[in-house]
Amino acid sequence: MTQVVAPIAKKIPHKLEKHGDIRIDPYYWLNDRENQEVVEYLEAENDFYNKSTEHTKEFQKKLFDEMKGRIKEDDESVPYKQNGYWYITRYELGKEYPIYSRKKETLDAKEEIMFDGNEMARDHEYFSIGGIAISPDNKLAAFGVDTVSRRQYTIQIKNLETGEILTDKIENTTGGSVWANDNKTLFYTQKDPITLRSDKIYKHKLGVQASNDELVFHEQDETFGTYVYKSKSKKYIIVGSYSTLTSEYQTLLSDFPDGDLKMFSSRKRGLEYGISHYGDHWYVLTNKDSATNFKLMKVNEDHTSSENWKEFIPHRDDVLLEDIDIFKDYYVVSERENGLNKIKIVRWNGDESYYLPFDSETYTAGVSRNPDFDTDILRYAYNSMVTPNSVIDFDMGTREKTVKKEQEVLGGNFDKENYVEKRLWATARDGEKIPMSFVYHKNTELNSNTPILQYAYGSYGHTIDPYFSTVRLSLLDRGFVYAIAHIRGGEYLGRKWYEEGKLLKKMNTFTDFIDCSKFLIAEGYTGAGHLYAMGGSAGGLLMGAINNMAPEIYNGIIAAVPFVDVVTTMLDESIPLTTGEYDEWGNPNEKEYYQYMKSYSPYDQVKIQAYPNILVTTGFHDSQVQYFEPAKWVAKLREMKTDNKLLLFDINMDAGHGGASGRFEALKEVAKEYAFLLDLEGKID
């Protein structure tokens, strides 16, 4: 390996004081993205990364070609029908971005290309199109474009009959929008330009300057965000307000866009609910009355406040009620029991009720896009860690299923029978059983020399389900085991699983991950010299915490866009998304939360000790986790670590939180991560 000298960031002491506690942050100056010295430091880190990994560049290209070679380039989505048109997203050979098209009434009709992402992205390093919304008369399409990667979209409108882009231009939005039934009124969400909080709903009339758009709703509470959508019945436009623990909705008849919003049920702290319209009733998915795992309630559309809600599906301690999808003759309930997805189909008249059969010990199944209300066909998706994703149309009346598409794995080498998947249960230090989804090649021997990549997220109740990945095969085929740890902070084992891994119980998230790692070592699946950990964003916080708490049991750690300067970020209300996070992490303006946060904050807890090999990645334009968090963390690790192991920092100067925007460009980033792991294992071929 080429011997190169790591950059050393200069230190400028910056005093931070709260609750009488003083922290000195010597790398605070890295927060200034406009400072040329900051840019030069980041470029020096990139240079160090590139020189340190020069010997893996050819292998990275090999991995990239291998991963790309498994993906069908000229691919397309399964068409779905909405309001008389079939909608299709497709990719063409050698091109990075999707093409959005449609066909009228039948799939044999002439294709109408609505948007060609490749043409639109031509002059941009980063490009994302989102929120395509078709007017009720099918003539216009509103769409959002982001060319910076800060998730600030500009909405424009295209005439689908003439191809003309109208003069309407709305800046700084979430990208999505909703048409009223008059085909000329558009509702959209605007962001605060500093914090990027979604805080305002506006109404736009075709042809009117965006500066004259009418403010419909302003979410004043800085811990809440807002959004707008349309009920599946098309009768209502719905404005939602949300925080981690509380929700609220207001409604407006789609036929009367200039009417006033009507409150559905006023917010009460800790009361969460979601609403679905059917006939003259609303169905309310809620945690009301301490329904931790949620229940379904019903209310007449004329009297919607919570005191009028009547129980429809009761709360169950052992089953998480995740969602409901409504059709003319059926409703479909998405549940999670013992970590596994279940889909229940019920006829409205009560004649019929049954679950879709799933046999595997570990899998992922979920209801797909079903915009059509008057149909007996339910579209859902199924996959597992060894089974490619399938899109299935299921006739709820006849119970016949049609596999509309099974993900193709090109290259000629994939056979699901060559891989083994299982679920393991590790015992945490407090006695809880932590599930892990596990996959490996059948020829891989499991012993103390077996490399394992252990992945987790563990925040916001977000569950990482055991999913199939063609990309992951490049690790499995080289003898790696891949393990997903379903730790507390996610919702794999129900809502209580989430509650036990947040706020003043956040430490459970980190200790669960470590205890899973220790289990893998103790049971002889791997050894500390061959165990690797990976997580991104809030999962990057997890990586930072375990890096400080148990560095000796990992040979390598990958932290992608990591949230590592928890206390400073949560005290800075100007940073995007901070105030909305208080219900997840706590408000450090309160001393108890400040002290608890500081006890695990990776940046604050870096100490003089030996650390594993570490790869840190970020994007300069990241809106979720600012680039300076990992930059400061890396600088402090360089100063404090006592080992001579790798500490690499790769900054994409063109991208944000999601990394590169192109379909295949993103694989180059995965190739970097895999090359880092395989190099440490001496498996570069």
Side-chain angles (χ1 to χ4, degrees):
M1 182 180 291
T2 307
Q3 291 299 311
V4 288
V5 179
I8 302 297
K10 72 177 182 181
K11 297 170 71 173
I12 304 175
H14 181 85
K15 182 179 175 181
L16 297 163
E17 185 173 358
K18 192 73 179 178
H19 306 298
D21 180 51
I22 295 173
R23 293 178 300 138
I24 303 298
D25 185 351
Y27 302 112
Y28 191 87
W29 66 277
L30 289 170
N31 288 32
D32 183 5
R33 74 174 67 240
E34 304 300 325
N35 183 342
Q36 186 57 31
E37 271 193 273
V38 171
V39 175
E40 287 171 3
Y41 168 71
L42 297 178
E43 288 173 343
E45 283 286 3
N46 272 344
D47 186 57
F48 177 70
Y49 167 79
N50 286 321
K51 287 176 178 173
S52 299
T53 58
E54 182 63 38
H55 65 292
T56 71
K57 296 299 184 191
E58 281 191 30
F59 181 58
Q60 287 181 36
K61 184 177 185 310
K62 178 178 179 179
L63 284 173
F64 171 78
D65 291 339
E66 182 177 293
M67 292 185 289
K68 183 180 178 184
R70 295 192 195 102
I71 298 171
K72 189 168 189 254
E73 289 196 49
D74 53 341
D75 201 6
E76 67 177 45
S77 65
V78 180
Y80 68 87
K81 196 172 189 183
Q82 185 170 2
N83 197 23
Y85 280 83
W86 290 94
Y87 288 89
I88 303 157
T89 304
R90 63 179 177 82
Y91 290 88
E92 291 184 346
L93 203 63
K95 295 184 178 179
E96 290 277 358
Y97 294 95
I99 295 168
Y100 298 93
S101 67
R102 66 179 186 174
K103 297 180 178 182
K104 189 171 184 178
E105 293 300 344
T106 80
L107 289 170
D108 297 325
K110 181 185 175 186
E111 180 188 51
E112 299 175 29
I113 293 178
M114 300 186 297
F115 302 99
D116 184 341
N118 303 287
E119 290 295 323
M120 297 170 74
R122 190 177 296 266
D123 298 323
H124 304 286
E125 287 288 341
Y126 178 91
F127 175 80
S128 173
I129 182 172
I132 297 171
I134 310 298
S135 61
D137 63 5
N138 292 313
K139 294 179 179 179
L140 301 171
F143 64 100
V145 168
D146 173 17
T147 57
V148 177
S149 187
R150 277 182 72 77
R151 303 189 185 183
Q152 290 172 286
Y153 287 81
T154 298
I155 292 176
Q156 294 179 268
I157 298 165
K158 184 174 184 177
N159 184 320
L160 295 176
E161 294 182 324
T162 66
E164 174 194 6
I165 303 288
L166 306 187
T167 55
D168 307 66
K169 204 167 190 177
I170 309 167
E171 308 279 357
N172 189 32
T173 76
T174 59
S177 57
V178 177
W179 290 96
N181 289 347
D182 63 359
N183 300 295
K184 63 182 181 183
T185 306
L186 197 67
F187 292 83
Y188 63 90
T189 311
Q190 195 161 66
K191 294 187 167 189
D192 182 290
I194 304 299
T195 67
L196 302 189
R197 180 170 71 93
S198 306
D199 66 342
K200 295 184 181 75
I201 306 296
Y202 279 93
K203 178 169 60 181
H204 175 77
K205 298 286 188 181
L206 280 187
V208 174
Q209 283 276 346
S211 57
N212 294 321
D213 286 355
E214 180 184 336
L215 178 65
V216 173
F217 174 66
H218 182 192
E219 178 50 73
Q220 303 276 5
D221 188 328
E222 62 186 12
T223 66
F224 278 72
T226 186
Y227 59 101
V228 61
Y229 69 102
K230 205 172 194 177
S231 65
K232 187 173 178 179
S233 66
K234 309 302 181 193
K235 185 174 179 179
Y236 290 97
I237 288 166
I238 302 166
V239 171
S241 291
Y242 66 94
S243 71
T244 306
L245 296 174
T246 310
S247 44
E248 177 184 82
Y249 294 92
Q250 300 174 76
T251 63
L252 177 70
L253 290 167
S254 302
D255 285 337
F256 302 101
D258 295 326
D260 295 325
L261 287 174
K262 176 188 173 187
M263 179 60 67
F264 189 91
S265 189
S266 298
R267 68 188 68 177
K268 295 174 184 167
R269 180 160 176 79
L271 177 65
E272 297 175 66
Y273 70 96
I275 56 177
S276 301
H277 179 252
Y278 176 74
D280 55 4
H281 283 83
W282 291 92
Y283 290 80
V284 185
L285 186 65
T286 181
N287 66 349
K288 188 175 185 286
D289 307 318
S290 302
T292 308
N293 274 337
F294 289 76
K295 60 183 176 179
L296 192 66
M297 305 187 82
K298 177 180 179 180
V299 67
N300 187 282
E301 64 182 348
D302 295 326
H303 306 284
T304 56
S305 57
S306 61
E307 64 268 18
N308 298 309
W309 300 354
K310 306 293 184 203
E311 192 169 275
F312 190 73
I313 298 177
H315 173 259
R316 289 159 291 174
D317 288 331
D318 57 345
V319 178
L320 176 66
L321 189 55
E322 291 191 315
D323 205 359
I324 178 172
D325 285 87
I326 285 175
F327 297 84
K328 182 183 175 185
D329 295 326
Y330 298 88
Y331 63 92
V332 177
V333 183
S334 296
E335 303 174 347
R336 187 183 293 272
E337 184 175 12
N338 196 31
L340 300 179
N341 304 121
K342 299 178 75 176
I343 298 174
K344 185 179 185 181
I345 294 167
V346 187
R347 192 180 280 275
W348 282 111
N349 64 14
D351 286 354
E352 206 173 10
S353 168
Y354 59 92
Y355 285 93
L356 293 180
F358 302 123
D359 306 325
S360 177
E361 180 190 9
T362 177
Y363 62 88
T364 299
V367 173
S368 297
R369 187 167 188 173
N370 289 276
D372 198 355
F373 176 72
D374 188 4
T375 179
D376 285 353
I377 302 299
L378 169 72
R379 177 164 292 174
Y380 70 95
Y382 177 90
N383 71 104
S384 75
M385 294 180 91
V386 303
T387 308
N389 189 54
S390 292
V391 177
I392 298 161
D393 278 0
F394 180 81
D395 190 310
M396 295 181 280
T398 65
R399 303 197 189 187
E400 293 176 4
K401 74 174 187 179
T402 305
V403 178
K404 301 300 290 185
K405 180 179 181 178
E406 183 170 337
Q407 179 183 358
E408 288 185 61
V409 183
L410 303 185
N413 298 319
F414 175 73
D415 179 350
K416 66 175 289 185
E417 301 303 322
N418 286 334
Y419 302 90
V420 179
E421 63 182 344
K422 61 173 70 172
R423 191 161 59 157
L424 305 175
W425 296 80
T427 303
R429 59 197 66 185
D430 64 357
E432 284 283 7
K433 297 290 187 184
I434 314 297
M436 304 175 73
S437 295
F438 214 62
V439 64
Y440 56 95
H441 195 284
K442 67 179 183 181
N443 294 338
T444 298
E445 293 183 22
L446 302 178
N447 55 46
S448 60
N449 294 315
T450 305
I452 291 183
L453 176 58
Q454 182 181 326
Y455 179 86
Y457 184 72
S459 290
Y460 303 106
H462 179 65
T463 298
I464 305 294
D465 281 309
Y467 64 97
F468 182 77
S469 164
T470 61
V471 171
R472 189 193 298 141
L473 297 174
S474 290
L475 280 183
L476 304 185
D477 291 349
R478 289 176 172 84
F480 260 80
V481 175
Y482 189 87
I484 301 172
H486 304 292
I487 54 181
R488 280 173 280 188
E491 238 172 33
Y492 186 79
L493 291 181
R495 182 70 172 194
K496 187 171 180 285
W497 204 241
Y498 169 39
E499 303 288 351
E500 292 288 318
K502 63 187 287 198
L503 297 173
L504 297 174
K505 296 181 179 179
K506 189 65 209 169
M507 200 66 81
N508 284 336
T509 301
F510 316 134
T511 55
D512 280 0
F513 190 92
I514 292 167
D515 292 343
C516 285
S517 300
K518 289 180 174 178
F519 166 83
L520 293 174
I521 293 169
E523 294 297 313
Y525 289 103
T526 188
H530 300 281
L531 181 58
Y532 301 88
M534 182 175 177
S537 195
L541 162 62
L542 169 65
M543 294 300 101
I546 65 159
N547 190 44
N548 289 327
M549 294 166 67
E552 72 284 353
I553 62 173
Y554 303 99
N555 190 40
I557 288 177
I558 299 176
V561 293
F563 172 41
V564 283
D565 191 10
V566 184
V567 179
T568 307
T569 290
M570 293 303 296
L571 282 168
D572 187 348
E573 295 179 6
S574 73
I575 289 177
L577 311 178
T578 291
T579 53
E581 303 280 298
Y582 289 161
D583 287 336
E584 179 72 24
W585 312 104
N587 183 348
N589 292 298
E590 298 175 27
K591 189 173 182 179
E592 181 182 26
Y593 288 107
Y594 173 88
Q595 291 176 331
Y596 189 77
M597 234 177 249
K598 185 182 172 186
S599 74
Y600 66 74
S601 174
Y603 183 62
D604 291 290
Q605 294 303 321
V606 172
K607 49 184 167 284
I608 297 172
Q609 66 176 353
Y611 283 97
N613 296 286
I614 303 169
L615 170 63
V616 182
T617 65
T618 194
F620 187 56
H621 298 289
D622 198 323
S623 61
Q624 311 296 105
V625 178
Q626 305 295 308
Y627 75 89
F628 46 77
E629 290 202 35
K632 289 164 55 177
W633 183 48
V634 168
K636 194 171 184 181
L637 281 168
R638 288 211 190 286
E639 176 193 352
M640 306 285 276
K641 74 192 198 85
T642 59
D643 59 90
N644 59 1
K645 293 179 180 174
L646 292 172
L647 174 54
L648 302 175
F649 188 25
D650 180 31
I651 308 108
N652 187 327
M653 298 302 285
D654 297 315
H657 198 62
S661 61
R663 184 187 184 199
F664 299 116
E665 280 300 308
L667 293 180
K668 292 179 181 176
E669 297 180 11
V670 179
K672 288 179 178 181
E673 294 165 352
Y674 283 9
F676 171 76
L677 298 170
L678 291 161
D679 186 28
L680 290 172
E681 280 295 311
K683 289 178 177 285
I684 289 187
D685 49 59

